């Protein structure tokens, strides 16, 4: 059953894309209302759900916490500029839907403003596709394909609306102009009398429309260039101009996972270290456990191999279960008695226990 659901979810967006392309090229549209409503409702939802499987909603200046072998990304849209992003998104969606289903009932100026909103949505679609497709390292091609599918469909549908406007009614006969008529008003009158000129009029109307939206967004802390910074103040993507900090790898070691994923006030991360070529977060508990293992390896290598085998058999499956801060906190608390035992044995058996503890994950060879 679930296989059938997944197949339908995978094929339905492709079916909508094919139908939208057909309706753009054909003289007589087929299933246009169904494909438009389905695409505009399900497309954003599908893209959002897909995005949560690919990248984490983490800003560029935060380190990603991932398991070795996984590929994660920072958010492709800067979270601090989301109000501007969603404003342009809703302008584009509302403008398109109104033009698509109520164009014949709209006054000329209202239609032009809706078309200006469609332009705003087109800008977001182009920037989104550029952001994903031009990324220096990208997710799997299938994810890239589906992540760009809705913006592509929006551009196809917008082109279909523009095609319909350009094939609209001929210019209405203008009444004789009064001698004192304002030239600016006369120019606007000529633009609005013919729907074939509405795409040009919408370009002119886009500036005051964006100006009004920007004036409101400024009250909510947005910047005048937030529509561009939403894509440039990111990391990992095509338009990104920020350099993200190195990712913190869990590396299958559940104490590394605890140090990286637990609540900082409890697990108390101290610094970054290196393990198997990857940068990890190090706390006191991890240092003590690794120092004790190092001492055990030097003093009793045969027993260490047995302990290591048991640890690998239990630790790696456990590490995969520690996916939330609260789970990491629980493991940290459960490991506390062992941490105290390891520290006591280090102080009993090692001449410089604190030196051995502090140099863990610094790339320094172990000393007897």
């Amino acid at each position: 059953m679930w296989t059938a659901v997944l197949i339908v979810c995978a094929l339905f967006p492709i079916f909508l894309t094919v139908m939208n392309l057909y309706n753009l090229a054909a003289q007589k549209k087929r299933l246009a209302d169904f494909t438009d409503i389905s695409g505009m409702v399900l497309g954003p939802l599908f893209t959002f759900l897909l995005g949560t499987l690919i990248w984490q909603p983490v800003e560029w200046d935060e380190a990603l916490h991932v398991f070795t072998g996984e590929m994660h990304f920072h958010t492709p849209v800067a979270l601090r500029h989301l109000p501007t992003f969603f404003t342009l998104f809703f302008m584009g969606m509302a403008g398109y839907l109104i033009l698509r289903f109520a164009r014949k009932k709209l006054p000329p100026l209202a239609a032009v403003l809706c078309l200006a909103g469609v332009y705003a949505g087109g800008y977001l679609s182009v920037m989104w596709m550029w952001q994903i497709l031009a990324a220096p390292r990208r997710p799997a091609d299938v994810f890239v394909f589906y992540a760009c599918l809705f913006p592509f469909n929006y551009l196809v549908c917008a082109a279909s609306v523009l095609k319909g406007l350009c094939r609209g009614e001929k210019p209405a006969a203008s009444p004789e102009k009064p001698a004192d008529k304002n030239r600016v008003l006369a120019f606007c009158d000529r633009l609005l009398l013919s729907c074939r000129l509405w795409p040009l009029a919408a370009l002119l109307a886009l500036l005051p429309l964006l100006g009004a939206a920007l004036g409101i967004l400024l009250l909510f802390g947005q910047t005048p260039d937030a529509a561009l910074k939403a894509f440039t103040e990111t990391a990992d993507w095509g338009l990104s101009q920020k350099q993200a900090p190195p990712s913190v790898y869990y590396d299958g070691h559940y104490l590394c996972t605890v140090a990286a994923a637990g609540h900082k006030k409890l697990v108390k991360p101290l610094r970054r270290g290196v393990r198997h070529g990857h940068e990890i977060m190090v706390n006191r508990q991890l240092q003590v456990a690794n120092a004790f293992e190092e001492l055990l390896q030097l003093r009793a290598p045969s027993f260490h191999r047995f302990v290591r085998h048991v640890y690998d058999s239990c630790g790696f499956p456990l590490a995969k279960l520690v996916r939330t801060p609260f789970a990491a906190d629980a493991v940290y608390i459960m490991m506390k008695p062992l941490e105290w035992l390891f520290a006591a044995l280090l102080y009993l058996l090692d001449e410089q226990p604190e030196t051995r503890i502090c140099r863990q994950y610094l790339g320094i060879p172990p000393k007897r």
Side-chain angles (χ1 to χ4, degrees):
M1 176 182 175
W2 288 110
T3 303
V5 172
L6 290 175
I7 293 175
V8 171
C9 291
L11 295 180
F12 188 63
I14 299 176
F15 165 75
L16 293 179
T17 304
V18 172
M19 292 304 302
N20 286 331
L21 289 171
Y22 171 83
N23 290 331
L24 174 62
Q27 297 291 336
K28 185 178 180 181
K29 296 183 178 182
R30 297 180 181 274
L31 301 176
D33 292 347
F34 170 74
T35 57
D36 279 358
I37 294 175
S38 300
M40 294 302 163
V41 173
L42 298 178
L45 178 62
F46 185 83
T47 304
F48 172 78
L49 293 177
L50 181 65
T52 57
L53 299 177
I54 302 175
W55 53 77
Q56 303 177 15
V58 176
E59 285 279 40
W60 67 268
D61 54 353
E62 298 183 33
L64 293 174
H65 298 91
V66 298
F67 277 88
T68 301
E70 295 182 340
M71 182 175 287
H72 289 276
F73 301 85
H74 291 83
T75 174
V77 178
L79 301 182
R80 68 194 63 166
H81 299 305
L82 280 182
T84 298
F85 179 87
F86 282 118
T87 298
L88 296 179
F89 171 78
F90 286 117
M91 284 170 57
M93 293 289 288
Y96 173 78
L97 292 174
I98 293 173
L99 280 178
R100 176 65 182 81
F101 296 103
R103 180 171 64 87
K104 295 181 179 180
K105 300 179 182 180
L106 288 177
L109 183 57
V112 167
L113 291 174
C114 288
L115 188 55
V118 172
Y119 289 163
Y123 163 81
L124 280 189
S125 299
V126 171
M127 296 294 280
W128 176 273
M129 294 174 67
W130 189 354
Q131 184 84 312
I132 302 297
L133 294 174
R137 65 183 188 101
R138 299 187 302 178
D141 290 339
V142 63
F143 290 117
V144 172
F145 172 76
Y146 280 103
C148 294
L149 205 54
F150 171 68
F152 175 77
N153 276 271
Y154 181 89
L155 293 175
V156 172
C157 293
S160 182
V161 166
L162 284 173
K163 178 183 175 183
L165 289 177
C166 292
R167 291 186 175 183
E169 65 270 12
K170 295 180 180 180
S174 298
E176 186 177 349
K177 296 185 293 183
D180 60 345
K181 187 168 184 178
N182 186 284
R183 291 183 179 181
V184 176
L185 293 179
F187 174 74
C188 294
D189 186 44
R190 287 195 297 272
L191 278 179
L192 296 178
L193 280 175
S194 172
C195 60
R196 294 185 180 184
L197 297 177
W198 286 356
L200 174 60
L203 283 176
L204 300 176
L206 184 59
L207 291 178
L209 184 65
L210 290 178
L214 177 60
I216 297 174
L217 289 168
L218 287 174
L219 301 176
F220 294 91
Q222 296 293 285
T223 58
D225 54 353
L228 181 60
K229 285 185 175 180
F231 297 97
T232 59
E233 289 190 349
T234 57
D236 304 332
W237 302 101
L239 295 168
S240 300
Q241 295 183 355
K242 301 294 185 179
Q243 183 64 45
S247 298
V248 176
Y249 289 86
Y250 293 163
D251 206 23
H253 189 315
Y254 66 85
L255 289 185
C256 294
T257 305
V258 168
H263 288 98
K264 294 182 179 180
K265 290 185 178 180
L266 180 65
V267 303
K268 297 181 176 63
L270 299 175
R271 57 171 172 82
R272 294 179 182 272
V274 178
R275 183 175 190 270
H276 295 170
H278 295 298
E279 214 175 62
I280 62 170
M281 192 63 68
V282 177
N283 68 347
R284 173 73 178 184
Q285 187 176 84
L286 179 59
Q287 287 178 314
V288 170
N290 208 64
F292 176 73
E293 182 185 359
E294 179 184 285
L295 184 65
L296 189 65
Q297 183 180 12
L298 295 172
R299 303 289 176 84
S302 299
F303 183 62
H304 169 262
R305 284 193 292 271
F306 169 74
V307 172
R308 187 71 210 185
H309 173 73
V310 174
Y311 175 83
D312 289 343
S313 301
C314 302
F316 283 94
L318 178 60
K320 294 181 179 180
L321 299 177
V322 184
R323 291 285 189 169
T324 66
F326 292 103
D329 294 345
V331 173
Y332 176 82
I333 294 172
M334 288 188 294
M335 284 295 298
K336 262 301 176 184
L338 279 177
E339 177 191 344
W340 295 331
L341 175 62
F342 294 157
L345 291 174
L346 282 169
Y347 272 85
L348 181 64
L349 302 173
D350 195 6
E351 295 179 356
Q352 296 179 323
E354 282 301 324
T355 301
R356 187 180 297 277
I357 290 171
C358 291
R359 71 163 180 254
Q360 297 303 308
Y361 301 105
L362 290 176
I364 302 175
K367 295 183 180 180
R368 289 188 175 274

